[in-house]
Amino acid sequence: EIPSKNTTYSIIAPAGKLGLKIRNSSQTNMAVVDAVKEDSFLSGEVKAGDLLISVDEIDCKGLGAQNVTELICERSAYLARQFVFQRQLQAEEV
């Protein structure tokens, strides 16, 4: 088994659509990124499999994909939104 480590990172995104597809994680009670559109502001930063920890300091743990998507949509007009993600790094990335 390859050892792994989690890293948490924050991104400030502008107003508008993010181009993220969110789903429920089968292993945790959290929302996870399922896909990132190529033309998304977050493309190249956020990857499929990253867990969404918070949106504008609102804890997303246990909210589920539908509620997290609604939260993101409610804030789509905000000039800046802070997203905190967690990614599991493989041994070669640590």
Side-chain angles (χ1 to χ4, degrees):
E1 181 177 313
I2 298 172
S4 63
K5 181 179 179 180
N6 292 334
T7 185
T8 302
Y9 64 97
S10 176
I11 293 180
I12 304 295
K17 291 189 175 188
L18 290 178
L20 290 181
K21 184 177 178 188
I22 305 289
R23 66 174 170 80
N24 290 317
S25 170
S26 58
Q27 290 130 2
T28 64
N29 191 23
M30 296 176 65
V32 64
V33 176
D34 192 43
V36 183
K37 289 186 178 180
E38 285 184 27
D39 61 350
S40 169
F41 175 83
L42 302 175
S43 181
E45 301 289 333
V46 178
K47 296 181 180 179
D50 290 356
L51 298 172
L52 182 54
I53 305 297
S54 67
V55 177
D56 292 333
E57 298 184 2
I58 298 171
D59 190 355
C60 293
K61 295 175 190 158
L63 288 184
Q66 181 66 38
N67 291 329
V68 168
T69 300
E70 289 171 8
L71 176 64
I72 292 169
C73 289
E74 288 169 4
R75 298 173 167 284
S76 65
Y78 287 30
L79 293 178
R81 298 167 288 166
Q82 181 180 22
F83 294 86
V84 177
F85 294 93
Q86 185 178 76
R87 179 177 301 153
Q88 187 174 34
L89 300 176
Q90 299 304 317
E92 62 270 10
E93 298 175 293
V94 175

